[in-house]
Amino acid sequence: MTVAIRQIGPCFAGEVAGVDMRRPLEPDQVAAIHAGMDKYAVLVFHDQNIDDAQQLAFTRSLGEIEQAIGTSLRAASEYRLPTTFADVSNLDQHDKPFARDDRRRLFGIGNRLWHSDSSFKIVPAKYSLLHAVGLPSKGGNTEFADMRAAYDALDEDTKREVEGLVCEHSQMFSRQQIGFTDFTDQERQRFRPVRQSLVRTHPVTGRKSLYLSSHAGSIVGWPIPEARAFLRDLVEHATQRQFVHAHQWRLGDLVMWDNRQTMHRARPFPAEEARDMRRTTLAGDGPTAAQAAA
Ligand code: OGA
Ligand code: MN
């Protein structure tokens, strides 16, 4: 099948035809998908009625998997999915929605803040692939923002100011923003900050992008309040509607995004309803910045 892509967002995001994830990809399909990601940064595939093994096989045909270990508040005994999946659902291991005040649910609400996946890891994620297995009756869109267009639209002074800056990212910083602060000592150790460059250059297209994320909580060498206010201004700039595409989910949709070039956020939905979303993630190819000495 020939892969065809039609742009659906304001400056990015494409809808893909000609891919059936139940079958192995041909080499020219793999090349077309990578080229599509380089160009559109978000790709939407409809009607992919696949199981977890097929999602995993499709993901692996595009690169190396990033494991989801120790990145949520689920204990290993509470996993619903294997560690090759990030469980982005609101469901416990028995497929029941978490209670409204369940700590794991409240931690997951952090996904409603604009972020880039795994920016809290030294080697952050490349692509994320999210498959809709169960949807609520309303709400629950996912929004994407184009960080290349956001970079391009900065004024020259700001472009000079962000160049070379390094931020510290942690899941504690994103959760602090929504008042989730009761981390255990063990969690504080697990979620200790890592460093990321604030400006990234795409290895294929050479385009620059703002590497922002709710996980960013400081800028190396800056006073914290000034850094947070500056990052907040950048996020506000980068998420103006002309840089944003909202995806309204249908069952069987698989949406793939490039975390190096976009941010995304989940939108709310009724707490008592199930939203079964399963994410596979492709590993990035290295750190974006030198780390602080331990
Ligand atoms: C994710 C994520 C948003 C959503 O899968 O990484 O942030 O709408 N998902 O579930
Ligand atoms: Mn995410």
Side-chain angles (χ1 to χ4, degrees), residues 18-38:
V19 172
D20 179 351
M21 296 179 192
R22 293 171 304 183
R23 300 184 205 302
L25 290 180
E26 293 150 23
D28 63 319
Q29 291 181 308
V30 172
I33 290 170
H34 282 301
M37 287 298 283
D38 291 346

Side-chain angles (χ1 to χ4, degrees), residues 71 80 96 109 127 132 170 200 207 209 225 273:
T71 54
R80 196 176 62 103
K96 289 267 178 312
I109 284 181
Y127 303 163
S170 162
R200 298 184 73 170
R207 284 190 77 179
S209 56
E273 294 187 26

Side-chain angles (χ1 to χ4, degrees), residues 88 111 115-118 128 257 259 264 279:
V88 187
N111 276 345
H115 67 281
S116 175
D117 288 336
S118 303
S128 292
W257 61 88
N259 289 294
H264 61 281
R279 194 185 90 206

